[in-house]
Amino acid sequence: MGRLGPCDNCPMRRLLIIGCGDVMRRALPQLMLRWKVLALVRSRDPQLAALGISQIEGDLDHPETLKRLAGLADAVIHSAPPPPQGSGDPRTRNLIAALQRGKSLPRQLVYISTSGVYGDCGGARVSETRIPAAQSARAARRVDAESRLRRFGRQRGRRCLVSILRAPGIYAADRLPLERLHKRLPLMLHAEDSHTNHIHADDLGRACIAALARGRANRVYNINDDTSLAMGEWFDALADAFALPRAPRLPREEVRRAVPPMQWSFMNESRRLDNTRMKQELRLRLRYPTVATGIAAARKTATGTSCSG
C-alpha cells in the first residue's frame, strides 16, 4: 500500500485533518483503518466524537489557538477554504506557521485546491504544467494558498512531501445543483457554451488517500473524471434524470445579465482538465469515472429514499 499507513507491528501514525467537511467525512472510514485521525475544529462536533476522532479545538483565523498543532501529526490533509474576502489566504499562512513550530514536521501534506486557478482556457485541454491564471478573487486566494504550500514543500524537501489536488465541480447525490433547474435560470447556447469538469465527492476523498500513499514531492494533480461535456449538457443530463424541465438557452451576453455574478464567474470559464497524471502517478481508479455513472447512482439513491419514506 506504499506510504498509506503503518505496518502491522508499528503504532498507528497520526493524520491531522484541517477542514473535516463533507469530502473528508466520506474518506474517514478508510482513513481510520490505517491512521489515528485527528481533526481541527472550531468547536467540538458530536458526530466526529461518535466516530472516535480526536478533536483539536482551534481556528485558522486566530493563530494563537493553533499552538497544539506543532509536532502533532505525521501527515496533514488540508481542505479548509480561504476566507471569503481578501487577496490571499491567511488561514494557510497560519497553518504553515503553526506546523513549523514543531520539533518534527509532518512527512506529508495534501491540499485540496480548485481547478479555478487555471482561469478561462478557452476550452483547451489543461494539464498541471499550465501556469495558473486566476480570474476571480476566489481563485486568486487559492493560488496564494498553493504558492505558500509549495514554497513550504521546497524548503523542506523530502522531509515533507506536499501534494496539491486541483478539483473542479464536486458533486454527489446530496450535492446536485437541482435548485438551479427549479429556478429556470438560463444556460448558454450550445455554440457559445463553456466546457466543464466534475469529480464525485467520494472520489475526491479517495484521491486524498491515494495522494498520502503515492503523491510525489511538491506535485500538482488534476482530480477529475473522464467526462468531457459543455455546462449545458451537464444540466440537461440532470434535468432528464430527475424529470425536470431543461433550462432555457440564451445567447451568452443575455445569460451574463440574467444570472448572479458569482454563478457567472463559474460559467464564464471554459477548460477540459487532463487527468493523466492522477491515473499514472496516484494510480487512482475512479468509482464514478463519468458523470453518467454518478448521476445514475444519485438517481438510484433518490428513488430508494422516496420509496423508503
Side-chain angles (χ1 to χ4, degrees), residues 260-290:
M262 174 68 78
Q263 199 162 87
W264 177 249
S265 72
F266 289 104
M267 299 178 71
N268 192 41
E269 296 182 1
S270 180
R271 52 188 169 262
R272 292 177 292 168
L273 297 179
D274 184 337
N275 62 11
T276 301
R277 185 180 288 182
M278 175 193 79
K279 293 178 178 179
Q280 292 182 349
E281 296 186 12
L282 300 186
R283 302 200 299 275
L284 179 62
R285 296 186 64 180
L286 298 176
R287 187 170 294 160
Y288 302 98
T290 65

PDB file of all heavy atoms in Angstrom, residues 260-290:
ATOM      1  N   PRO A 260     -26.659  35.421 -11.274  1.00  0.00           N
ATOM      2  CA  PRO A 260     -25.854  36.131 -10.263  1.00  0.00           C
ATOM      3  C   PRO A 260     -24.378  36.171 -10.658  1.00  0.00           C
ATOM      4  O   PRO A 260     -23.872  35.248 -11.306  1.00  0.00           O
ATOM      5  CB  PRO A 260     -26.068  35.284  -8.997  1.00  0.00           C
ATOM      6  CG  PRO A 260     -27.348  34.554  -9.233  1.00  0.00           C
ATOM      7  CD  PRO A 260     -27.401  34.292 -10.703  1.00  0.00           C
ATOM      8  N   PRO A 261     -23.665  37.231 -10.275  1.00  0.00           N
ATOM      9  CA  PRO A 261     -22.248  37.371 -10.642  1.00  0.00           C
ATOM     10  C   PRO A 261     -21.387  36.180 -10.230  1.00  0.00           C
ATOM     11  O   PRO A 261     -20.503  35.767 -10.998  1.00  0.00           O
ATOM     12  CB  PRO A 261     -21.825  38.652  -9.909  1.00  0.00           C
ATOM     13  CG  PRO A 261     -23.087  39.428  -9.754  1.00  0.00           C
ATOM     14  CD  PRO A 261     -24.170  38.417  -9.563  1.00  0.00           C
ATOM     15  N   MET A 262     -21.610  35.645  -9.047  1.00  0.00           N
ATOM     16  CA  MET A 262     -20.818  34.504  -8.602  1.00  0.00           C
ATOM     17  C   MET A 262     -21.018  33.316  -9.538  1.00  0.00           C
ATOM     18  O   MET A 262     -20.058  32.639  -9.930  1.00  0.00           O
ATOM     19  CB  MET A 262     -21.206  34.119  -7.176  1.00  0.00           C
ATOM     20  CG  MET A 262     -20.533  32.842  -6.670  1.00  0.00           C
ATOM     21  SD  MET A 262     -18.755  33.016  -6.425  1.00  0.00           S
ATOM     22  CE  MET A 262     -18.735  33.909  -4.870  1.00  0.00           C
ATOM     23  N   GLN A 263     -22.257  33.063  -9.929  1.00  0.00           N
ATOM     24  CA  GLN A 263     -22.534  31.956 -10.835  1.00  0.00           C
ATOM     25  C   GLN A 263     -21.917  32.203 -12.206  1.00  0.00           C
ATOM     26  O   GLN A 263     -21.383  31.277 -12.839  1.00  0.00           O
ATOM     27  CB  GLN A 263     -24.043  31.760 -10.950  1.00  0.00           C
ATOM     28  CG  GLN A 263     -24.436  30.405 -11.486  1.00  0.00           C
ATOM     29  CD  GLN A 263     -25.888  30.101 -11.166  1.00  0.00           C
ATOM     30  OE1 GLN A 263     -26.773  30.476 -11.934  1.00  0.00           O
ATOM     31  NE2 GLN A 263     -26.126  29.425 -10.069  1.00  0.00           N
ATOM     32  N   TRP A 264     -21.962  33.440 -12.651  1.00  0.00           N
ATOM     33  CA  TRP A 264     -21.379  33.759 -13.957  1.00  0.00           C
ATOM     34  C   TRP A 264     -19.873  33.533 -13.953  1.00  0.00           C
ATOM     35  O   TRP A 264     -19.288  33.121 -14.960  1.00  0.00           O
ATOM     36  CB  TRP A 264     -21.687  35.197 -14.352  1.00  0.00           C
ATOM     37  CG  TRP A 264     -21.041  35.580 -15.642  1.00  0.00           C
ATOM     38  CD1 TRP A 264     -20.019  36.463 -15.826  1.00  0.00           C
ATOM     39  CD2 TRP A 264     -21.335  35.051 -16.940  1.00  0.00           C
ATOM     40  NE1 TRP A 264     -19.662  36.532 -17.150  1.00  0.00           N
ATOM     41  CE2 TRP A 264     -20.464  35.678 -17.862  1.00  0.00           C
ATOM     42  CE3 TRP A 264     -22.275  34.133 -17.412  1.00  0.00           C
ATOM     43  CZ2 TRP A 264     -20.489  35.404 -19.223  1.00  0.00           C
ATOM     44  CZ3 TRP A 264     -22.303  33.842 -18.775  1.00  0.00           C
ATOM     45  CH2 TRP A 264     -21.416  34.469 -19.664  1.00  0.00           C
ATOM     46  N   SER A 265     -19.212  33.768 -12.818  1.00  0.00           N
ATOM     47  CA  SER A 265     -17.766  33.577 -12.753  1.00  0.00           C
ATOM     48  C   SER A 265     -17.400  32.120 -13.021  1.00  0.00           C
ATOM     49  O   SER A 265     -16.326  31.834 -13.569  1.00  0.00           O
ATOM     50  CB  SER A 265     -17.228  34.018 -11.393  1.00  0.00           C
ATOM     51  OG  SER A 265     -17.588  33.112 -10.363  1.00  0.00           O
ATOM     52  N   PHE A 266     -18.278  31.188 -12.659  1.00  0.00           N
ATOM     53  CA  PHE A 266     -18.053  29.778 -12.974  1.00  0.00           C
ATOM     54  C   PHE A 266     -18.384  29.487 -14.443  1.00  0.00           C
ATOM     55  O   PHE A 266     -17.650  28.785 -15.135  1.00  0.00           O
ATOM     56  CB  PHE A 266     -18.911  28.882 -12.077  1.00  0.00           C
ATOM     57  CG  PHE A 266     -18.471  28.842 -10.645  1.00  0.00           C
ATOM     58  CD1 PHE A 266     -19.158  29.526  -9.675  1.00  0.00           C
ATOM     59  CD2 PHE A 266     -17.346  28.115 -10.272  1.00  0.00           C
ATOM     60  CE1 PHE A 266     -18.761  29.491  -8.349  1.00  0.00           C
ATOM     61  CE2 PHE A 266     -16.930  28.077  -8.951  1.00  0.00           C
ATOM     62  CZ  PHE A 266     -17.644  28.763  -7.979  1.00  0.00           C
ATOM     63  N   MET A 267     -19.499  30.040 -14.908  1.00  0.00           N
ATOM     64  CA  MET A 267     -19.955  29.758 -16.258  1.00  0.00           C
ATOM     65  C   MET A 267     -19.029  30.340 -17.316  1.00  0.00           C
ATOM     66  O   MET A 267     -18.935  29.817 -18.429  1.00  0.00           O
ATOM     67  CB  MET A 267     -21.371  30.313 -16.455  1.00  0.00           C
ATOM     68  CG  MET A 267     -22.418  29.716 -15.533  1.00  0.00           C
ATOM     69  SD  MET A 267     -24.056  30.459 -15.784  1.00  0.00           S
ATOM     70  CE  MET A 267     -24.484  29.779 -17.391  1.00  0.00           C
ATOM     71  N   ASN A 268     -18.339  31.416 -16.982  1.00  0.00           N
ATOM     72  CA  ASN A 268     -17.553  32.155 -17.963  1.00  0.00           C
ATOM     73  C   ASN A 268     -16.216  31.490 -18.264  1.00  0.00           C
ATOM     74  O   ASN A 268     -15.539  31.880 -19.218  1.00  0.00           O
ATOM     75  CB  ASN A 268     -17.320  33.581 -17.452  1.00  0.00           C
ATOM     76  CG  ASN A 268     -16.766  34.492 -18.517  1.00  0.00           C
ATOM     77  OD1 ASN A 268     -17.184  34.449 -19.669  1.00  0.00           O
ATOM     78  ND2 ASN A 268     -15.813  35.317 -18.135  1.00  0.00           N
ATOM     79  N   GLU A 269     -15.807  30.502 -17.461  1.00  0.00           N
ATOM     80  CA  GLU A 269     -14.514  29.858 -17.648  1.00  0.00           C
ATOM     81  C   GLU A 269     -14.678  28.492 -18.300  1.00  0.00           C
ATOM     82  O   GLU A 269     -15.510  27.691 -17.864  1.00  0.00           O
ATOM     83  CB  GLU A 269     -13.783  29.740 -16.313  1.00  0.00           C
ATOM     84  CG  GLU A 269     -13.456  31.104 -15.710  1.00  0.00           C
ATOM     85  CD  GLU A 269     -12.687  31.002 -14.409  1.00  0.00           C
ATOM     86  OE1 GLU A 269     -12.381  29.858 -13.978  1.00  0.00           O
ATOM     87  OE2 GLU A 269     -12.378  32.049 -13.819  1.00  0.00           O
ATOM     88  N   SER A 270     -13.892  28.244 -19.325  1.00  0.00           N
ATOM     89  CA  SER A 270     -14.014  27.011 -20.108  1.00  0.00           C
ATOM     90  C   SER A 270     -12.660  26.307 -20.194  1.00  0.00           C
ATOM     91  O   SER A 270     -11.665  26.904 -20.593  1.00  0.00           O
ATOM     92  CB  SER A 270     -14.515  27.350 -21.523  1.00  0.00           C
ATOM     93  OG  SER A 270     -14.646  26.187 -22.303  1.00  0.00           O
ATOM     94  N   ARG A 271     -12.639  25.040 -19.793  1.00  0.00           N
ATOM     95  CA  ARG A 271     -11.406  24.247 -19.869  1.00  0.00           C
ATOM     96  C   ARG A 271     -11.763  22.768 -19.794  1.00  0.00           C
ATOM     97  O   ARG A 271     -12.832  22.392 -19.309  1.00  0.00           O
ATOM     98  CB  ARG A 271     -10.433  24.627 -18.738  1.00  0.00           C
ATOM     99  CG  ARG A 271     -11.062  24.583 -17.375  1.00  0.00           C
ATOM    100  CD  ARG A 271     -10.164  25.147 -16.293  1.00  0.00           C
ATOM    101  NE  ARG A 271     -10.927  25.298 -15.063  1.00  0.00           N
ATOM    102  CZ  ARG A 271     -11.465  26.427 -14.648  1.00  0.00           C
ATOM    103  NH1 ARG A 271     -11.293  27.543 -15.339  1.00  0.00           N
ATOM    104  NH2 ARG A 271     -12.166  26.471 -13.533  1.00  0.00           N
ATOM    105  N   ARG A 272     -10.854  21.945 -20.269  1.00  0.00           N
ATOM    106  CA  ARG A 272     -11.008  20.484 -20.209  1.00  0.00           C
ATOM    107  C   ARG A 272      -9.780  19.919 -19.513  1.00  0.00           C
ATOM    108  O   ARG A 272      -8.677  19.948 -20.080  1.00  0.00           O
ATOM    109  CB  ARG A 272     -11.175  19.905 -21.618  1.00  0.00           C
ATOM    110  CG  ARG A 272     -12.495  20.299 -22.292  1.00  0.00           C
ATOM    111  CD  ARG A 272     -12.569  19.765 -23.703  1.00  0.00           C
ATOM    112  NE  ARG A 272     -11.601  20.432 -24.568  1.00  0.00           N
ATOM    113  CZ  ARG A 272     -11.280  20.020 -25.789  1.00  0.00           C
ATOM    114  NH1 ARG A 272     -11.833  18.926 -26.287  1.00  0.00           N
ATOM    115  NH2 ARG A 272     -10.405  20.690 -26.513  1.00  0.00           N
ATOM    116  N   LEU A 273      -9.950  19.457 -18.308  1.00  0.00           N
ATOM    117  CA  LEU A 273      -8.823  19.018 -17.496  1.00  0.00           C
ATOM    118  C   LEU A 273      -8.299  17.657 -17.942  1.00  0.00           C
ATOM    119  O   LEU A 273      -9.066  16.743 -18.237  1.00  0.00           O
ATOM    120  CB  LEU A 273      -9.240  18.941 -16.022  1.00  0.00           C
ATOM    121  CG  LEU A 273      -9.669  20.249 -15.364  1.00  0.00           C
ATOM    122  CD1 LEU A 273     -10.076  19.974 -13.919  1.00  0.00           C
ATOM    123  CD2 LEU A 273      -8.557  21.294 -15.417  1.00  0.00           C
ATOM    124  N   ASP A 274      -6.996  17.525 -17.951  1.00  0.00           N
ATOM    125  CA  ASP A 274      -6.312  16.277 -18.268  1.00  0.00           C
ATOM    126  C   ASP A 274      -5.995  15.562 -16.944  1.00  0.00           C
ATOM    127  O   ASP A 274      -5.290  16.109 -16.093  1.00  0.00           O
ATOM    128  CB  ASP A 274      -5.017  16.592 -19.025  1.00  0.00           C
ATOM    129  CG  ASP A 274      -4.284  15.347 -19.495  1.00  0.00           C
ATOM    130  OD1 ASP A 274      -4.494  14.268 -18.913  1.00  0.00           O
ATOM    131  OD2 ASP A 274      -3.485  15.454 -20.440  1.00  0.00           O
ATOM    132  N   ASN A 275      -6.517  14.350 -16.760  1.00  0.00           N
ATOM    133  CA  ASN A 275      -6.296  13.627 -15.502  1.00  0.00           C
ATOM    134  C   ASN A 275      -5.277  12.490 -15.647  1.00  0.00           C
ATOM    135  O   ASN A 275      -5.260  11.554 -14.827  1.00  0.00           O
ATOM    136  CB  ASN A 275      -7.616  13.088 -14.942  1.00  0.00           C
ATOM    137  CG  ASN A 275      -8.294  12.094 -15.868  1.00  0.00           C
ATOM    138  OD1 ASN A 275      -7.695  11.631 -16.853  1.00  0.00           O
ATOM    139  ND2 ASN A 275      -9.534  11.750 -15.574  1.00  0.00           N
ATOM    140  N   THR A 276      -4.428  12.563 -16.656  1.00  0.00           N
ATOM    141  CA  THR A 276      -3.440  11.504 -16.891  1.00  0.00           C
ATOM    142  C   THR A 276      -2.513  11.314 -15.695  1.00  0.00           C
ATOM    143  O   THR A 276      -2.236  10.184 -15.274  1.00  0.00           O
ATOM    144  CB  THR A 276      -2.598  11.820 -18.140  1.00  0.00           C
ATOM    145  OG1 THR A 276      -3.466  11.945 -19.267  1.00  0.00           O
ATOM    146  CG2 THR A 276      -1.592  10.712 -18.411  1.00  0.00           C
ATOM    147  N   ARG A 277      -2.037  12.406 -15.140  1.00  0.00           N
ATOM    148  CA  ARG A 277      -1.105  12.303 -14.011  1.00  0.00           C
ATOM    149  C   ARG A 277      -1.778  11.638 -12.814  1.00  0.00           C
ATOM    150  O   ARG A 277      -1.153  10.823 -12.108  1.00  0.00           O
ATOM    151  CB  ARG A 277      -0.592  13.694 -13.642  1.00  0.00           C
ATOM    152  CG  ARG A 277       0.472  13.695 -12.562  1.00  0.00           C
ATOM    153  CD  ARG A 277       0.953  15.102 -12.228  1.00  0.00           C
ATOM    154  NE  ARG A 277       1.780  15.678 -13.283  1.00  0.00           N
ATOM    155  CZ  ARG A 277       2.347  16.882 -13.206  1.00  0.00           C
ATOM    156  NH1 ARG A 277       2.157  17.638 -12.128  1.00  0.00           N
ATOM    157  NH2 ARG A 277       3.092  17.336 -14.196  1.00  0.00           N
ATOM    158  N   MET A 278      -3.031  11.949 -12.567  1.00  0.00           N
ATOM    159  CA  MET A 278      -3.776  11.319 -11.482  1.00  0.00           C
ATOM    160  C   MET A 278      -3.809   9.801 -11.645  1.00  0.00           C
ATOM    161  O   MET A 278      -3.597   9.042 -10.683  1.00  0.00           O
ATOM    162  CB  MET A 278      -5.210  11.858 -11.446  1.00  0.00           C
ATOM    163  CG  MET A 278      -6.130  11.196 -10.435  1.00  0.00           C
ATOM    164  SD  MET A 278      -7.879  11.607 -10.704  1.00  0.00           S
ATOM    165  CE  MET A 278      -8.269  10.471 -12.077  1.00  0.00           C
ATOM    166  N   LYS A 279      -4.052   9.356 -12.867  1.00  0.00           N
ATOM    167  CA  LYS A 279      -4.153   7.917 -13.126  1.00  0.00           C
ATOM    168  C   LYS A 279      -2.797   7.228 -13.068  1.00  0.00           C
ATOM    169  O   LYS A 279      -2.665   6.134 -12.513  1.00  0.00           O
ATOM    170  CB  LYS A 279      -4.809   7.680 -14.490  1.00  0.00           C
ATOM    171  CG  LYS A 279      -6.263   8.103 -14.558  1.00  0.00           C
ATOM    172  CD  LYS A 279      -6.822   7.873 -15.953  1.00  0.00           C
ATOM    173  CE  LYS A 279      -8.290   8.235 -16.035  1.00  0.00           C
ATOM    174  NZ  LYS A 279      -8.827   8.028 -17.404  1.00  0.00           N
ATOM    175  N   GLN A 280      -1.783   7.868 -13.628  1.00  0.00           N
ATOM    176  CA  GLN A 280      -0.481   7.213 -13.728  1.00  0.00           C
ATOM    177  C   GLN A 280       0.305   7.265 -12.426  1.00  0.00           C
ATOM    178  O   GLN A 280       0.939   6.277 -12.040  1.00  0.00           O
ATOM    179  CB  GLN A 280       0.325   7.849 -14.856  1.00  0.00           C
ATOM    180  CG  GLN A 280      -0.237   7.580 -16.243  1.00  0.00           C
ATOM    181  CD  GLN A 280       0.608   8.178 -17.360  1.00  0.00           C
ATOM    182  OE1 GLN A 280       1.527   8.973 -17.113  1.00  0.00           O
ATOM    183  NE2 GLN A 280       0.326   7.806 -18.594  1.00  0.00           N
ATOM    184  N   GLU A 281       0.300   8.401 -11.741  1.00  0.00           N
ATOM    185  CA  GLU A 281       1.116   8.542 -10.538  1.00  0.00           C
ATOM    186  C   GLU A 281       0.373   8.148  -9.268  1.00  0.00           C
ATOM    187  O   GLU A 281       0.909   7.430  -8.422  1.00  0.00           O
ATOM    188  CB  GLU A 281       1.648   9.971 -10.428  1.00  0.00           C
ATOM    189  CG  GLU A 281       2.601  10.335 -11.561  1.00  0.00           C
ATOM    190  CD  GLU A 281       3.241  11.703 -11.373  1.00  0.00           C
ATOM    191  OE1 GLU A 281       3.121  12.271 -10.252  1.00  0.00           O
ATOM    192  OE2 GLU A 281       3.863  12.196 -12.325  1.00  0.00           O
ATOM    193  N   LEU A 282      -0.859   8.620  -9.118  1.00  0.00           N
ATOM    194  CA  LEU A 282      -1.635   8.250  -7.930  1.00  0.00           C
ATOM    195  C   LEU A 282      -2.282   6.882  -8.084  1.00  0.00           C
ATOM    196  O   LEU A 282      -2.733   6.289  -7.103  1.00  0.00           O
ATOM    197  CB  LEU A 282      -2.704   9.309  -7.635  1.00  0.00           C
ATOM    198  CG  LEU A 282      -2.205  10.725  -7.362  1.00  0.00           C
ATOM    199  CD1 LEU A 282      -3.363  11.618  -6.955  1.00  0.00           C
ATOM    200  CD2 LEU A 282      -1.125  10.731  -6.290  1.00  0.00           C
ATOM    201  N   ARG A 283      -2.370   6.418  -9.338  1.00  0.00           N
ATOM    202  CA  ARG A 283      -2.984   5.122  -9.656  1.00  0.00           C
ATOM    203  C   ARG A 283      -4.397   5.027  -9.074  1.00  0.00           C
ATOM    204  O   ARG A 283      -4.801   4.002  -8.509  1.00  0.00           O
ATOM    205  CB  ARG A 283      -2.108   3.967  -9.170  1.00  0.00           C
ATOM    206  CG  ARG A 283      -0.718   3.986  -9.760  1.00  0.00           C
ATOM    207  CD  ARG A 283      -0.011   2.642  -9.688  1.00  0.00           C
ATOM    208  NE  ARG A 283       0.201   2.140  -8.346  1.00  0.00           N
ATOM    209  CZ  ARG A 283       1.246   2.468  -7.591  1.00  0.00           C
ATOM    210  NH1 ARG A 283       2.152   3.328  -8.043  1.00  0.00           N
ATOM    211  NH2 ARG A 283       1.394   1.946  -6.389  1.00  0.00           N
ATOM    212  N   LEU A 284      -5.129   6.118  -9.225  1.00  0.00           N
ATOM    213  CA  LEU A 284      -6.492   6.186  -8.708  1.00  0.00           C
ATOM    214  C   LEU A 284      -7.481   5.682  -9.752  1.00  0.00           C
ATOM    215  O   LEU A 284      -7.543   6.203 -10.869  1.00  0.00           O
ATOM    216  CB  LEU A 284      -6.832   7.629  -8.322  1.00  0.00           C
ATOM    217  CG  LEU A 284      -8.249   7.862  -7.788  1.00  0.00           C
ATOM    218  CD1 LEU A 284      -8.478   7.076  -6.494  1.00  0.00           C
ATOM    219  CD2 LEU A 284      -8.492   9.350  -7.560  1.00  0.00           C
ATOM    220  N   ARG A 285      -8.229   4.682  -9.404  1.00  0.00           N
ATOM    221  CA  ARG A 285      -9.323   4.185 -10.244  1.00  0.00           C
ATOM    222  C   ARG A 285     -10.622   4.750  -9.692  1.00  0.00           C
ATOM    223  O   ARG A 285     -11.023   4.438  -8.567  1.00  0.00           O
ATOM    224  CB  ARG A 285      -9.345   2.653 -10.245  1.00  0.00           C
ATOM    225  CG  ARG A 285      -8.100   2.029 -10.865  1.00  0.00           C
ATOM    226  CD  ARG A 285      -8.214   0.531 -10.970  1.00  0.00           C
ATOM    227  NE  ARG A 285      -9.290   0.136 -11.872  1.00  0.00           N
ATOM    228  CZ  ARG A 285      -9.622  -1.136 -12.158  1.00  0.00           C
ATOM    229  NH1 ARG A 285      -8.950  -2.134 -11.580  1.00  0.00           N
ATOM    230  NH2 ARG A 285     -10.590  -1.404 -12.991  1.00  0.00           N
ATOM    231  N   LEU A 286     -11.261   5.568 -10.477  1.00  0.00           N
ATOM    232  CA  LEU A 286     -12.449   6.271 -10.013  1.00  0.00           C
ATOM    233  C   LEU A 286     -13.628   5.331  -9.833  1.00  0.00           C
ATOM    234  O   LEU A 286     -13.885   4.463 -10.667  1.00  0.00           O
ATOM    235  CB  LEU A 286     -12.821   7.375 -11.000  1.00  0.00           C
ATOM    236  CG  LEU A 286     -11.775   8.481 -11.202  1.00  0.00           C
ATOM    237  CD1 LEU A 286     -12.231   9.447 -12.283  1.00  0.00           C
ATOM    238  CD2 LEU A 286     -11.503   9.221  -9.897  1.00  0.00           C
ATOM    239  N   ARG A 287     -14.355   5.548  -8.764  1.00  0.00           N
ATOM    240  CA  ARG A 287     -15.597   4.803  -8.537  1.00  0.00           C
ATOM    241  C   ARG A 287     -16.689   5.306  -9.483  1.00  0.00           C
ATOM    242  O   ARG A 287     -17.557   4.563  -9.904  1.00  0.00           O
ATOM    243  CB  ARG A 287     -16.019   4.979  -7.083  1.00  0.00           C
ATOM    244  CG  ARG A 287     -17.196   4.130  -6.643  1.00  0.00           C
ATOM    245  CD  ARG A 287     -17.348   4.204  -5.136  1.00  0.00           C
ATOM    246  NE  ARG A 287     -16.215   3.581  -4.458  1.00  0.00           N
ATOM    247  CZ  ARG A 287     -15.872   3.809  -3.198  1.00  0.00           C
ATOM    248  NH1 ARG A 287     -16.565   4.686  -2.478  1.00  0.00           N
ATOM    249  NH2 ARG A 287     -14.841   3.189  -2.652  1.00  0.00           N
ATOM    250  N   TYR A 288     -16.602   6.593  -9.802  1.00  0.00           N
ATOM    251  CA  TYR A 288     -17.565   7.220 -10.720  1.00  0.00           C
ATOM    252  C   TYR A 288     -16.769   7.873 -11.854  1.00  0.00           C
ATOM    253  O   TYR A 288     -16.500   9.087 -11.820  1.00  0.00           O
ATOM    254  CB  TYR A 288     -18.418   8.251  -9.976  1.00  0.00           C
ATOM    255  CG  TYR A 288     -19.170   7.662  -8.815  1.00  0.00           C
ATOM    256  CD1 TYR A 288     -18.680   7.770  -7.515  1.00  0.00           C
ATOM    257  CD2 TYR A 288     -20.363   6.967  -9.006  1.00  0.00           C
ATOM    258  CE1 TYR A 288     -19.356   7.223  -6.439  1.00  0.00           C
ATOM    259  CE2 TYR A 288     -21.053   6.412  -7.943  1.00  0.00           C
ATOM    260  CZ  TYR A 288     -20.540   6.538  -6.667  1.00  0.00           C
ATOM    261  OH  TYR A 288     -21.212   5.987  -5.591  1.00  0.00           O
ATOM    262  N   PRO A 289     -16.375   7.107 -12.863  1.00  0.00           N
ATOM    263  CA  PRO A 289     -15.489   7.626 -13.915  1.00  0.00           C
ATOM    264  C   PRO A 289     -16.140   8.621 -14.866  1.00  0.00           C
ATOM    265  O   PRO A 289     -15.444   9.305 -15.606  1.00  0.00           O
ATOM    266  CB  PRO A 289     -15.057   6.360 -14.657  1.00  0.00           C
ATOM    267  CG  PRO A 289     -16.154   5.373 -14.411  1.00  0.00           C
ATOM    268  CD  PRO A 289     -16.661   5.668 -13.031  1.00  0.00           C
ATOM    269  N   THR A 290     -17.470   8.693 -14.860  1.00  0.00           N
ATOM    270  CA  THR A 290     -18.184   9.663 -15.690  1.00  0.00           C
ATOM    271  C   THR A 290     -19.339  10.243 -14.883  1.00  0.00           C
ATOM    272  O   THR A 290     -19.799   9.633 -13.907  1.00  0.00           O
ATOM    273  CB  THR A 290     -18.766   9.021 -16.968  1.00  0.00           C
ATOM    274  OG1 THR A 290     -19.773   8.059 -16.589  1.00  0.00           O
ATOM    275  CG2 THR A 290     -17.683   8.327 -17.787  1.00  0.00           C
TER     276      THR A 290
END
